[in-house]
Amino acid sequence: MDSRIIVSLDFATAASAAGLVRQLGAEATFYKVGLQLLTAAGPSVVRELVDGGKRVFLDLKLLEIPSSVAAAVSAAGQIGASMVTVHASGGSAVLRSAVEAARRFPELKVLALTVITSMNDESLREVGVGSTVAEQVLRLARLAAAAGCHGVVASPLEARLLRETLPPGMLIVTPGIQLAGDSEKSDHARFTTAAQAIDAGATHVVVGRPIARAPNPADAFAAMRAELSALR
């Protein structure tokens, strides 16, 4: 088992998600539930994963006033999530409110989302941010660290820079992961393989299509585990 691999359950139904969980079996212990599945299936999908002994990365990408964010983080803790995401661009008051709400749940980690992996320098300029992606990621990551967040979410291309900048204990969770040799088009503008991300300093990788859409998801998961095992 390798808890560094978080498998994304990007499905429209709870039945489809449960099917992948069954295929991966005991070897996969950590799953991401995002907005699509949560909206379609409700919080029961998280509770069922937790009751089945799995950990859940609840990718809510919260961006609201502090009181609303705190309430949502508390709700995430109550249904047993292990990680929850908050947009760092909401500012320090939002991040602090999330951290404070999570204190009631010792297993719940607040992750500050820096710059989503579909964005590049041009995308940032489009929304009025003059910094490069790397500069903006670092700015928001420092804000998250100062607010007491347990970790950050960023693309694997920023993992090394973050590891050199952030306190040693902070989590670095990286979406935008592909299997070595995979040429399939991705929604991520900034991506690498799992081994490259972990080698650069990421603590966890979030993997969607390369496992979920593989002809044999269990084989794809095993290949990624072997890839990471070779780093040890």
Side-chain angles (χ1 to χ4, degrees), residues 34-179:
L35 298 176
Q36 179 188 19
L37 184 57
L38 189 69
T39 303
S44 62
V45 72
V46 176
R47 293 192 185 97
E48 287 170 10
L49 285 165
V50 172
D51 289 345
K54 308 300 184 184
R55 298 175 67 196
V56 175
F57 168 33
L58 190 55
D59 194 16
L60 296 181
K61 297 183 174 70
L62 297 169
L63 182 58
E64 250 290 2
I65 61 173
S67 59
S68 294
V69 167
V73 169
S74 292
Q78 287 165 8
I79 60 174
S82 294
M83 293 178 176
V84 63
T85 51
V86 180
H87 267 286
S89 55
S92 57
V94 165
L95 295 174
R96 286 196 300 267
S97 72
V99 171
E100 186 57 36
R103 290 191 199 282
R104 293 174 47 213
F105 309 96
E107 301 302 315
L108 181 61
K109 308 299 182 188
V110 174
L111 304 180
L113 177 59
T114 56
V115 177
I116 59 175
T117 54
S118 62
M119 298 188 81
N120 54 26
D121 293 350
E122 184 180 352
S123 306
L124 287 179
R125 286 194 295 272
E126 187 179 37
V127 295
V129 177
S131 306
T132 66
V133 166
E135 290 167 344
Q136 184 69 355
V137 166
L138 274 184
R139 177 181 296 115
L140 294 174
R142 290 189 179 108
L143 188 69
C149 292
H150 305 95
V152 297
V153 179
S155 96
L157 297 187
E158 293 90 48
R160 193 173 305 280
L161 193 58
L162 288 168
R163 182 47 66 214
E164 293 169 352
T165 303
L166 294 175
M170 282 194 75
L171 303 173
I172 300 174
V173 179
T174 57
I177 298 300
Q178 292 192 345
L179 287 171

